[in-house]
Each structure stands twice: as structure tokens, then as C-alpha cells.
Amino acid sequence: MKKTALLCLLLVFCRQWAQTKLVTKTGKITFEASVPAFEEVKATNEAVTCILNPATGEIASLALLKGFRFKVALMEEHFNENYVESDKFPKATFKGKIDNFDVSKLTAAAKEYTIKGKLELHGKTKDIVVIAKIKKTEAGVEIDAAFSVNTDDFDIEIPSVVSKKLSKKVAVTLDCTLK
């Protein structure tokens, strides 16, 4: 009887511990490095993993670089082979913390939060600060953020042949619903 009670208690504890994190594997990151008067340079990855610990506000995200899709296949090939070198550096990660986060205070109206953390891309790590809109919906906790990344900060070289057609300041958006 004691073993059964102990096993039940252990299962309840494990179940609650497993539910302490909110997760998605279908987050969406879009980036754009377009320059006016030239062809659009934009890509989207809809298989981004994002994990949030609602008790601490800690957040982490991972995007496989080969998961970004462009309108033009040749751009995708150049992105993976020449710019981010995705065979050598296959992923981009972010680990940080949402300032003053309290999941119990989330409502259907989005509220702005500051997220501070480290972005790792192309073998380099940089501290970044992101302003995100976070709200609670029936689907889960929605996070929408927009920020920019400078290619020079991550040693991503843009060949002089195309340097006028690509912006070094890349606009990035993140949209995800965590459950």
C-alpha cells in the first residue's frame, strides 16, 4: 500500500513538473534584408521551437537555418551556403529572460515586455534586447516580437557584388503561441 501511495505521489509530482513549461514547435520567424528598388530578400521559418518557463520568465528559442524558405530557390541556396553557412552553423538560438513577467497577469490584451538575452548565430553570440507583445488566448500564450540584427555583429559577410542589394540591418519578427 505504501509503495502504491508513493508511486501515485511521484506520478502527480512528475506530471506537475512536466507542465511547468510552455512550448511550441511551430513558431514562426521571418526576416527581411531587402533594399528599396531591388528584389525582395525575405524568408520565413515556421518550425521554430520556443520554450517559456512561466514561473521565472526564462525563454529559449531555436531555429534551424535550413528551415528558412525564400520565394526564390537560388536565394535560399546562397543564404545557406554563402552567408550563414548552415552546414557549419546549423542553428540560431536565443536564451533570455522576460523582465517582470507574471503569467497570472496576462490577459487577452497584449502587453509589452522587455526580453533580454543572448542570440547565437553563425558561431557568434551577442546580447540583445527585444520588445515583445505578450497576451493570453484560448490557444495559449502568444508572443509577437520585432527586432533587428546587424550582419556584421555575427561575421556574416556580404560579397561586394551584391552589397548594394542587401541590407546589413536585418529586420526579424517572431510569432509563436506556446501551450
Side-chain angles (χ1 to χ4, degrees):
M1 182 69 170
K2 287 183 182 182
K3 286 182 184 180
T4 305
L6 182 60
L7 182 59
C8 288
L9 185 61
L10 184 60
L11 287 174
V12 168
F13 174 76
C14 288
R15 182 181 169 130
Q16 285 187 346
W17 182 76
Q19 293 177 351
T20 60
K21 302 229 181 353
L22 300 173
V23 180
T24 186
K25 292 183 180 181
T26 58
K28 178 178 160 184
I29 292 179
T30 301
F31 76 81
E32 185 167 4
S34 301
V35 174
F38 288 102
E39 189 172 12
E40 179 183 63
V41 179
K42 186 175 181 179
T44 302
N45 184 335
E46 295 184 0
V48 175
T49 299
C50 191
I51 302 169
L52 170 64
N53 182 336
T56 64
E58 292 175 313
I59 188 166
S61 185
L62 174 125
L64 296 177
L65 297 176
K66 286 189 177 180
F68 282 96
R69 298 292 172 246
F70 292 74
K71 288 181 182 176
V72 179
L74 187 60
M75 280 186 190
E76 194 169 311
E77 184 180 324
H78 287 198
F79 170 77
N80 283 299
E81 292 177 8
N82 303 331
Y83 300 107
V84 296
E85 302 173 275
S86 58
D87 284 336
K88 187 175 179 182
F89 307 107
K91 61 188 175 186
T93 61
F94 175 81
K95 292 179 185 172
K97 186 168 182 176
I98 305 169
D99 286 347
N100 303 311
F101 184 74
D102 184 346
V103 73
S104 69
K105 293 184 179 177
L106 292 179
T107 65
K111 181 180 173 192
E112 284 193 354
Y113 287 89
T114 300
I115 304 174
K116 297 176 185 170
K118 295 184 180 299
L119 176 63
E120 183 179 345
L121 173 67
H122 200 243
K124 303 291 178 199
T125 303
K126 175 133 177 84
D127 289 328
I128 66 169
V129 177
V130 175
I131 302 300
K133 292 182 180 178
I134 304 175
K135 66 182 177 179
K136 188 170 188 172
T137 67
E138 288 183 18
V141 174
E142 289 185 14
I143 301 175
D144 296 319
F147 57 99
S148 63
V149 173
N150 189 322
T151 58
D152 289 341
D153 291 340
F154 297 95
D155 291 341
I156 298 172
E157 294 181 28
I158 298 174
S160 59
V161 174
V162 294
S163 64
K164 303 283 188 220
K165 298 178 182 180
L166 290 171
S167 175
K168 286 183 173 260
K169 187 176 180 180
V170 180
V172 181
T173 61
L174 166 72
D175 301 308
C176 60
T177 302
L178 301 115
K179 301 174 189 174

